[in-house]
Amino acid sequence: DLAHVGALCVAPTYFHQAAKLLLAGLQALSATDAERVRLCTASCENEKASLARSVGFCYEVTLEGQLQAGLARCDLDILVWSG
């Protein structure tokens, strides 16, 4: 079996529509063989994580120190949706 990998990006400009866009993407994936969808966000971006949880994503793991903005390092949270 081959793993199918896809990407869906929601640009910051569309954040106010992100839940609707994510739900549409997840609905489209439900019609495929996709078993899991992973979403990555910086640990400090609570609003994005809350939005992801509101459409069915669950926390999976934190990768420490994976992101850097200027001199500051930040953790990367991975959330997962299982169709």
Side-chain angles (χ1 to χ4, degrees), residues 7-19:
L8 172 65
C9 281
V10 177
T13 304
Y14 297 102
F15 186 76
H16 66 283
Q17 296 175 326

Side-chain angles (χ1 to χ4, degrees), residues 4-6 18-19 29 35-37 39 46 50 57-58 69 77 80:
H4 298 279
V5 178
L29 285 170
E35 295 176 8
R36 302 178 72 120
V37 176
L39 182 142
N46 297 325
S50 292
F57 283 86
C58 298
D77 286 345
V80 65

Side-chain angles (χ1 to χ4, degrees), residues 2 7-8 11 16 18 26 28-31 33-34 36 38 40 45 50-51 55 58 63 66 71 74 77 79 81 83:
L2 295 175
L8 172 65
H16 66 283
L26 293 172
L29 285 170
S30 293
D33 292 337
R36 302 178 72 120
R38 287 195 174 90
C40 301
E45 297 181 317
S50 292
L51 178 117
V55 298
C58 298
L63 303 176
Q66 295 295 303
L71 299 176
C74 184
D77 286 345
L79 296 95
W81 174 86

